[in-house]
Amino acid sequence: MPEHPVNEGSLCPKGNTTLEVLNHPDRLKFPLRKTENGWERIEWEAALDLAAAKMKGSLEKSGPDSLAFLGSAKCSNEENYIFQKIARLLGTNNVDNCARLCHASTLTGLGKTLGTGAMTNPISDLASSECIFVIGSNFAENHPPVSRQVLRAKEKGAFVIVADPRITPTSWLADLALRLKPGTDIALLNGMMHVIVSEGLWDRRFVRERTRGFSELEQNLQRYDPETVSRITGIPSADIIKAARAYARAGTAAIVYSMGITQHSSGTDNVTACADLALICGHIGEKGTGILPLRGQNNVQGACDMGALAEFYPGYGKVGDPEAAGRLQTLWRTDELSEHPGKTATEMVEAAGKGKIKTLYVIGEDPVNSHPDSSQVKKALENLDFLIVQDIFMTDTAEYADLILPAAAFAEKEGSFTSTERRVQWVEPALLPPGEARADLEILFGLAEKLGLDFPCRGAGEVLEEISVAVPAYGGMEKERMKKGFGLVWPCPGPAHPGTPILHTESFKTPDGFARIIPVEHRSPAETPGPEYPFLLTTGRTVLHYNAGSMSRRSKSLLKKEPELYVEINPADARTMEIRDGNKLFLETRRGKTEATARLTERVGQGVLFMPFHFPGTNALTAGSLDREAKIPEFKVSACRIRRY
Amino acid sequence: MPEAVYADLSRCIACHACELACERENESAKIFVQVVRGLAAVPVSCRQCETPLCAAVCPGEALNYRDSRLEYDAEKCTGCRLCVLACPFGTAELRAGVVERCDLCQGKEIPACVATCPSGALFCAEAENLGEDIRTRRAERIKKALGNPEPAGRRVNR
């Protein structure tokens, strides 16, 4: 569709091969129960009875918090909404989604500074930016269509800065590439702010009229002079000054960030520092001017908006806030909702390991490969009384399940999805699901009935009607409205409201309308290389695969181009260890070990290793150290040692 | 000279979407993205040469150039691969006894690789216009930069 405002008819490699995945013979077609003799095909009726009986059993024996629900950011808004409704009506807030592993720190960091943890501007706005500062995002590989907007801006003369420890196709587009040491983002951001404040480049009027907290920041910045920051980050001080001046002086400027910022034990502080930088320069609330956290999956934003989060109800009412709970109780016609926040995705696994969670219900997620420290995850799953996995393929996590429910994929069902730029779009089914696979929504309603929950089975359009009441920002979202054109951008509070592509134009979503400038300090990552584990291992994505790989590793043309787990190593490091391109390497961290093929490249600096997480093995190495506010794991930094196989 | 698919090398991000789109539409890819040391990428496909060397060297006259079109007769092909060696761009490929060559997705409005390219690096053009197109685009860029009273990177502090 060349007229689509986001991709303009283009597709990334995964988009081009999606039919190979959807039509793959491995698709799950029937409900399966694990028996002593392996998997046994059962009828849907029996499968739902079994799931409901096991959940009720845990509920009666060990209380509601012995249940946990891990939802999917690949499922629709309606499905996520009903999923968390089931969990909460059963009396637990143990419901979460994989946003915990990618953008939980955006919710906390942007939430406390701007009032809303979401992208402030649409992607197409980047074409109007005079300066684009990219930090911890490799959009050329992970969100390829974003490149066309950045290139459009460059054609108009925009200055592009890319801060990344690696040289990536995104840094090929940069006018200034800052190659920082992993885990030193706050130092860089504070260093840039130090330059901006000391050279008087900050926006006095914006800071005075729209923000609070500047003087505390000014104090905190004193220690971050360019020379000090250069020593911490490894970036020449002249480049720090150049970046600061270009960003502050631009008429319109955008910050683009992603998991290089969020997936750290300082994730919330990293995001806060990005917000501080934008706020002191007044770079928020106009076309081409804002903060753009790029989300990974098709419905990460939506799954969070729907309240598939341990600490938030639909629409971000805080769990524990009696007013938010009251609203929901009226809508759901129930007397009580649990008042204490539930366990997050990572905490669920930990609690399962300790035997506190008995029954886990996982939809469209593969924690064995996507969570840090795989060996602990496997132990925890084995420790469960009952594991239900609802997916389109037999994932490595599904192998641990007691019951498997086959689901329809995105093209085989209807519902709404909220993209990274808050654009809510309606999807119509184009294909039939294979075998007896059913839409997730249908499965959830079937299960709710078996659980004796008092809500009737409805179509996605009717569920959306309930959502428009529960989530104020979705007030004007209607199926028929969305089907015209290309969806609606929230907040869209009423049926006549056109939607809001740009946030914070007049005031911020904080209680008093002022943004908060909050000083943050650079801290070393939870683990740093030492004599025993001398390399710094960082993880990320490659253009040819998608997330934990359960889908993209089933595309034969993608697999042909990127067939196996590899590790990038700088040629200078390889030389001293007599490692050649293509050698099998043995990698080890304090958590586990894995094998990978060496790829010699100057894309990584000396002392740094990079591995994609699309293949089993990578997350056997990563650590479970969490950001204290967002509970996001530090996937980006582990101390590692290697030897030739 | 007929149209061919060209790439603006400053825009290519090495995502390989063109190869996969071509593979989907034409069973095997006829465009190739060569990544140089992980630091740059060059997509190449058939240049639609006016005097195609692939046809010129064909001993069995399996490849013939007529009316601006290259025709291939599988009956006469011996599989000697001289055409593959002769192509200066390495874009002629012999797969399963058939010489495969980009036909610009005959029957489609635009070739699949051009339509899918996320960064807008690929475009279809006639070779004669190529130089002028680039000159025009560059000139427009300079005009924009000069014509702006407050060029990028300059803001009067409020």
Side-chain angles (χ1 to χ4, degrees):
Chain A
M1 258 190 269
E3 63 278 15
H4 195 283
V6 179
N7 64 12
E8 299 173 354
S10 70
L11 283 176
C12 75
K14 285 86 77 182
N16 268 299
T17 50
T18 190
L19 285 176
E20 293 178 22
V21 176
L22 294 177
N23 297 328
H24 199 279
D26 285 358
R27 281 289 300 273
L28 292 170
K29 299 178 188 74
F30 308 101
L32 301 170
R33 183 175 59 184
K34 191 179 268 169
T35 68
E36 282 168 9
N37 309 318
W39 294 107
E40 178 196 53
R41 179 180 160 183
I42 55 170
E43 295 300 319
W44 266 109
E45 199 64 17
L48 294 175
D49 276 332
L50 179 64
K54 290 292 179 182
M55 285 164 94
K56 275 196 235 167
S58 301
L59 190 67
E60 278 156 22
K61 221 168 72 191
S62 319
D65 286 334
S66 68
L67 299 174
F69 297 76
L70 186 54
S72 173
K74 293 187 279 291
C75 283
S76 70
N77 288 327
E78 292 73 22
E79 288 157 354
N80 274 289
Y81 179 82
I82 293 298
F83 188 64
Q84 61 86 35
K85 186 172 174 179
I86 291 176
R88 294 197 156 114
L89 286 180
L90 289 175
T92 182
N93 287 310
N94 288 347
V95 56
D96 217 25
N97 79 84
C98 64
R100 189 66 58 192
L101 308 176
C102 61
H103 271 291
S105 20
T106 294
L107 288 182
T108 49
L110 292 188
K112 66 183 177 184
T113 49
L114 312 181
T116 306
M119 241 168 105
T120 62
N121 295 56
I123 292 169
S124 59
D125 251 29
L126 285 173
S128 320
S129 302
E130 287 176 14
C131 177
I132 300 173
F133 176 40
V134 184
I135 179 161
S137 164
N138 178 12
F139 60 76
E141 290 200 72
N142 304 327
H143 310 84
V146 172
S147 323
R148 66 173 46 215
Q149 305 301 344
V150 173
L151 283 157
R152 207 164 272 160
K154 272 177 75 89
E155 269 180 2
K156 296 187 205 162
F159 191 76
V160 177
I161 308 161
V162 176
D164 196 308
R166 297 165 68 219
I167 297 173
T168 66
T170 308
S171 20
W172 300 353
L173 308 178
D175 296 289
L176 176 64
L178 308 174
R179 203 170 186 182
L180 75 171
K181 287 184 199 144
T184 62
D185 307 82
I186 292 176
L188 169 62
L189 291 159
N190 278 351
M192 286 171 65
M193 285 190 266
H194 176 101
V195 174
I196 290 164
V197 171
S198 63
E199 295 189 2
L201 300 172
W202 54 290
D203 188 335
R204 286 165 183 80
R205 205 175 83 190
F206 190 92
V207 167
R208 191 174 58 239
E209 292 175 2
R210 303 212 38 200
T211 71
R212 293 285 178 265
F214 180 76
S215 49
E216 288 85 348
L217 177 80
E218 203 177 4
Q219 281 238 309
N220 183 58
L221 290 178
Q222 281 171 6
R223 290 189 292 280
Y224 293 91
D225 59 278
E227 281 68 37
T228 309
V229 171
S230 176
R231 273 196 301 277
I232 302 172
T233 60
I235 302 168
S237 55
D239 283 352
I240 298 166
I241 296 168
K242 203 169 159 188
R245 287 177 182 163
Y247 177 78
R249 283 175 176 164
T252 53
I255 297 177
V256 176
Y257 76 82
S258 213
M259 261 145 262
I261 281 290
T262 59
Q263 283 180 338
H264 286 279
S265 55
S266 58
T268 301
D269 287 353
N270 288 356
V271 174
T272 305
C274 289
D276 289 343
L277 175 61
L279 287 169
I280 65 164
C281 297
H283 284 330
I284 267 184
E286 285 170 56
K287 193 173 170 62
T289 299
I291 303 178
L292 289 83
L294 298 175
R295 310 273 183 149
Q297 303 195 24
N298 53 347
N299 204 29
V300 190
Q301 184 67 55
C304 296
D305 298 344
M306 293 306 112
L309 289 170
E311 73 276 45
F312 289 110
Y313 295 130
Y316 303 103
K318 259 227 172 286
V319 170
D321 170 12
E323 203 194 309
R327 268 202 309 272
L328 219 49
Q329 279 166 350
T330 317
L331 180 66
W332 291 352
R333 278 181 254 127
T334 175
D335 301 333
E336 49 190 320
L337 287 172
S338 168
E339 280 166 12
H340 58 271
K343 295 202 161 38
T344 63
T346 35
E347 289 169 337
M348 279 177 196
V349 173
E350 198 193 325
K354 289 182 183 154
K356 285 182 187 154
I357 284 176
K358 307 286 183 196
T359 299
L360 175 65
Y361 183 9
V362 180
I363 297 189
E365 273 298 300
D366 187 9
V368 166
N369 289 324
S370 65
H371 280 222
D373 202 352
S374 313
S375 62
Q376 289 301 322
V377 176
K378 289 176 188 168
K379 269 187 217 154
L381 295 180
E382 274 169 1
N383 204 27
L384 286 165
D385 284 358
F386 202 70
L387 172 63
I388 308 165
V389 172
Q390 184 169 315
D391 212 311
I392 65 171
F393 288 115
M394 181 66 85
T395 60
D396 290 339
T397 301
E399 299 283 0
Y400 287 83
D402 300 286
L403 178 67
I404 290 175
L405 304 174
F410 70 95
E412 300 156 353
K413 59 187 181 185
E414 66 164 358
S416 68
F417 293 85
T418 307
S419 80
T420 179
E421 57 172 24
R422 294 176 280 113
R423 184 185 295 276
V424 191
Q425 299 177 96
W426 191 265
V427 171
E428 296 276 350
L431 302 166
L432 288 173
E436 290 180 8
R438 287 183 184 174
D440 297 86
L441 193 63
E442 194 188 337
I443 303 173
L444 290 170
F445 275 123
L447 184 66
E449 196 195 326
K450 300 278 182 202
L451 286 165
L453 295 173
D454 179 27
F455 56 83
C457 175
R458 291 162 301 165
E462 290 161 282
V463 176
L464 183 61
E465 281 171 28
E466 184 177 325
I467 292 171
S468 67
V469 181
V471 183
Y474 283 63
M477 304 284 177
E478 292 158 14
K479 179 178 166 180
E480 292 309 317
R481 251 193 107 185
M482 256 186 264
K483 279 163 72 174
K484 285 181 216 136
F486 299 100
L488 290 159
V489 180
W490 72 247
C492 172
H497 195 282
T500 317
I502 302 176
L503 294 178
H504 317 305
T505 49
E506 303 293 328
S507 71
F508 290 92
K509 269 284 185 203
T510 49
D512 58 7
F514 291 101
R516 293 291 180 282
I517 294 171
I518 302 168
V520 287
E521 292 279 7
H522 164 71
R523 277 176 290 131
S524 293
E527 197 174 77
T528 45
E532 229 186 317
Y533 297 93
F535 282 95
L536 192 158
L537 170 72
T538 188
T539 67
R541 290 175 162 92
T542 149
V543 70
L544 292 163
H545 282 286
Y546 182 67
N547 289 0
S550 68
M551 288 159 78
S552 59
R553 277 187 280 116
R554 286 187 166 86
S555 154
K556 62 173 184 347
S557 32
L558 292 177
L559 208 54
K560 198 168 69 195
K561 290 182 193 299
E562 200 71 273
E564 56 176 6
L565 182 58
Y566 66 86
V567 52
E568 288 182 357
I569 177 168
N570 188 282
D573 288 333
R575 210 165 24 244
T576 55
M577 300 188 71
E578 294 183 356
I579 291 166
R580 290 212 177 82
D581 204 65
N583 280 164
K584 269 261 176 282
L585 294 190
F586 189 75
L587 295 99
E588 192 176 6
T589 65
R590 291 186 178 89
R591 270 79 48 196
K593 40 195 147 179
T594 200
E595 290 162 32
T597 308
R599 197 172 280 187
L600 272 57
T601 171
E602 281 145 20
R603 286 173 64 147
V604 288
Q606 285 188 40
V608 178
L609 305 171
F610 168 83
M611 280 173 100
F613 51 63
H614 313 294
F615 299 88
T618 304
N619 279 325
L621 303 174
T622 51
S625 11
L626 304 180
D627 176 82
R628 62 184 186 280
E629 285 174 68
K631 312 276 171 67
I632 193 169
E634 186 154 60
F635 286 107
K636 294 293 181 200
V637 184
S638 304
C640 181
R641 64 183 170 211
I642 51 174
R643 62 180 166 80
R644 255 174 62 188
Y645 205 62
Chain B
M1 210 165 165
E3 273 199 329
V5 173
Y6 291 93
D8 180 341
L9 299 186
S10 67
R11 298 180 77 104
C12 179
I13 52 171
C15 76
H16 304 275
C18 50
E19 299 174 346
L20 292 153
C22 185
E23 211 168 307
R24 193 189 62 230
E25 296 298 325
N26 305 306
E27 283 177 17
S28 60
K30 290 157 187 71
I31 184 162
F32 310 89
V33 180
Q34 300 303 125
V35 182
V36 190
R37 287 173 58 210
L39 302 174
V42 187
V44 278
S45 65
C46 177
R47 302 290 85 209
Q48 316 284 346
C49 302
E50 208 158 38
T51 314
L53 292 181
C54 56
V57 297
C58 182
E61 294 184 344
L63 278 169
N64 289 295
Y65 187 74
R66 275 190 215 108
D67 307 328
S68 310
R69 279 189 57 84
L70 194 71
E71 284 167 12
Y72 172 68
D73 185 347
E75 295 270 296
K76 291 183 182 163
C77 178
T78 60
C80 71
R81 288 182 168 77
L82 267 184
C83 53
V84 178
L85 289 168
C87 173
F89 307 98
T91 65
E93 278 278 356
L94 189 74
R95 283 195 195 87
V98 177
V99 174
E100 295 186 331
R101 188 174 160 282
C102 167
D103 69 350
L104 300 171
C105 287
Q106 289 301 312
K108 279 203 173 58
E109 209 174 309
I110 35 172
C113 56
V114 177
T116 210
C117 179
S119 64
L122 297 178
F123 58 97
C124 241
E126 289 188 16
E128 283 85 359
N129 305 335
L130 203 57
E132 199 189 326
D133 284 353
I134 293 172
R135 285 194 295 276
T136 312
R137 252 184 297 154
R138 293 283 187 273
E140 270 172 7
R141 238 174 114 163
I142 294 167
K143 196 180 87 188
K144 265 180 206 147
L146 291 176
N148 192 344
E150 265 181 54
R154 290 271 161 262
R155 185 177 66 164
V156 182
N157 196 29
R158 284 173 278 190

